[in-house]
Amino acid sequence: NTARQKRPKEQRLGQYFTPVPLARKVVSLVDAKASDRILEPSFGNGAFLTALLEAIAPENASEWAERHLDGCEIDPVAYGEAAANWMGMTGQRLPHTLACADFFRWMPQGCPEGSALDRREYLRTLENSTKYDLVIGNPPFGAAFDTEIAVRLDGVLGFRDFGKIKRESYAYFLVKCIDLLAPRGRLAFLCSDTILSIGSMAGLRRLMNHLGSVHPIQPRQVPPQRRNGGARELCRLSEFS
């Protein structure tokens, strides 16, 4: 984690920005509905927000989002781009339910402050917190963890009944998002193929296979992009339900 903290920002944050055409494809595949309660936990510059607006939002998009759409973006620059894109599409400011925040520190509205980083409080809070019909996005891959909270995150997200969860940003994202799914909820993420095969992800696979089912879909023709033009070699849309 110390070495990762010294990388350029895009690598440190595990950023692979999703092209809007790919986000549109994902939204169409998961059959998103305007009545869904939706979470986008790392919305970057807003590709999935754009796709959701186009596909399902009613005329007053911001009013709809206040009731149906929550999300986070840790990078202030990407957040600003998402806000500008939202303004361009709707003529309105980004709703307060879409926050410039670290998902690992964030909890749904109404949850006690700090509950994301205390295992006992986190598990207690989950019982009554908002749950989501759809969690969608492209979580950070290989991101550095905030050194102030890394050990506490291990306590919250690093273990489940089915074994140890590898300390990897997208693995911890998956665990937290699964925790926040409503009954019969769906989770659709673009993520590394390694989740399906490598031994260090066995605990996460057991958790997912026990709680639901994983439906991998073939890699898309247009992979997520780094700002510098590089691309993740293997990207896969996996839907968990």
Side-chain angles (χ1 to χ4, degrees):
N1 195 60
T2 301
R4 289 183 178 185
Q5 289 286 357
K6 297 178 180 179
R7 295 174 178 174
K9 185 186 75 171
E10 288 84 358
Q11 295 181 25
R12 190 173 69 251
L13 296 179
Q15 291 176 321
Y16 292 83
F17 291 90
T18 310
V20 172
L22 178 53
R24 290 181 180 129
K25 183 65 174 178
V26 175
V27 169
S28 70
L29 288 170
V30 299
D31 190 28
K33 300 178 178 65
S35 58
D36 285 338
R37 188 67 187 251
I38 301 171
L39 172 65
E40 216 292 32
S42 56
F43 58 75
N45 55 15
F48 280 98
L49 304 183
T50 295
L52 288 165
L53 283 177
E54 292 175 345
I56 64 173
E59 184 174 343
N60 193 334
S62 291
E63 184 177 322
W64 166 81
E66 294 278 359
R67 298 192 304 271
H68 291 276
L69 181 61
D70 291 350
C72 296
E73 174 49 47
I74 191 172
D75 179 5
V77 174
Y79 178 87
E81 293 176 5
N85 291 336
W86 186 281
M87 176 66 76
M89 292 188 68
T90 69
Q92 299 170 322
R93 293 183 177 180
L94 203 63
H96 76 276
T97 55
L98 299 170
C100 187
D102 181 350
F103 180 59
F104 290 134
R105 296 176 181 268
W106 176 92
M107 289 291 282
Q109 287 186 347
C111 294
E113 185 176 355
S115 58
L117 298 175
D118 179 275
R119 181 176 176 83
R120 181 177 297 178
E121 186 68 14
Y122 174 80
L123 295 175
R124 187 191 67 79
T125 299
L126 281 177
E127 297 178 5
N128 299 308
S129 74
T130 298
K131 297 297 193 302
Y132 296 91
D133 305 300
L134 175 64
V135 181
I136 192 167
N138 178 10
F141 180 77
F145 287 92
D146 184 338
T147 55
E148 292 184 2
I149 65 172
V151 173
R152 296 167 72 186
L153 276 179
D154 290 343
V156 174
L157 302 173
F159 298 90
R160 288 297 184 267
D161 291 343
F162 303 94
K164 185 180 187 302
I165 307 298
K166 181 181 179 181
R167 188 199 274 184
E168 216 298 330
S169 53
Y170 78 85
Y172 277 16
F173 256 70
L174 276 165
V175 172
K176 186 168 182 177
C177 288
I178 290 170
D179 287 344
L180 291 170
L181 276 180
R184 297 185 174 275
R186 299 106 64 209
L187 186 154
F189 268 176
L190 290 163
C191 59
S192 168
D193 275 23
T194 56
I195 190 176
L196 303 175
S197 58
I198 62 173
S200 60
M201 290 293 177
L204 179 57
R205 287 196 297 275
R206 287 193 294 268
L207 173 68
M208 295 174 72
N209 288 329
H210 176 78
L211 295 177
S213 56
V214 180
H215 313 285
I217 301 173
Q218 289 303 310
R220 305 271 64 85
Q221 294 180 349
V222 184
Q225 301 290 314
R226 282 198 189 276
R227 286 193 188 278
N228 63 11
R232 188 184 315 175
E233 291 182 1
L234 294 175
C235 97
R236 185 178 291 269
L237 167 64
S238 288
E239 182 180 11
F240 172 84
S241 59

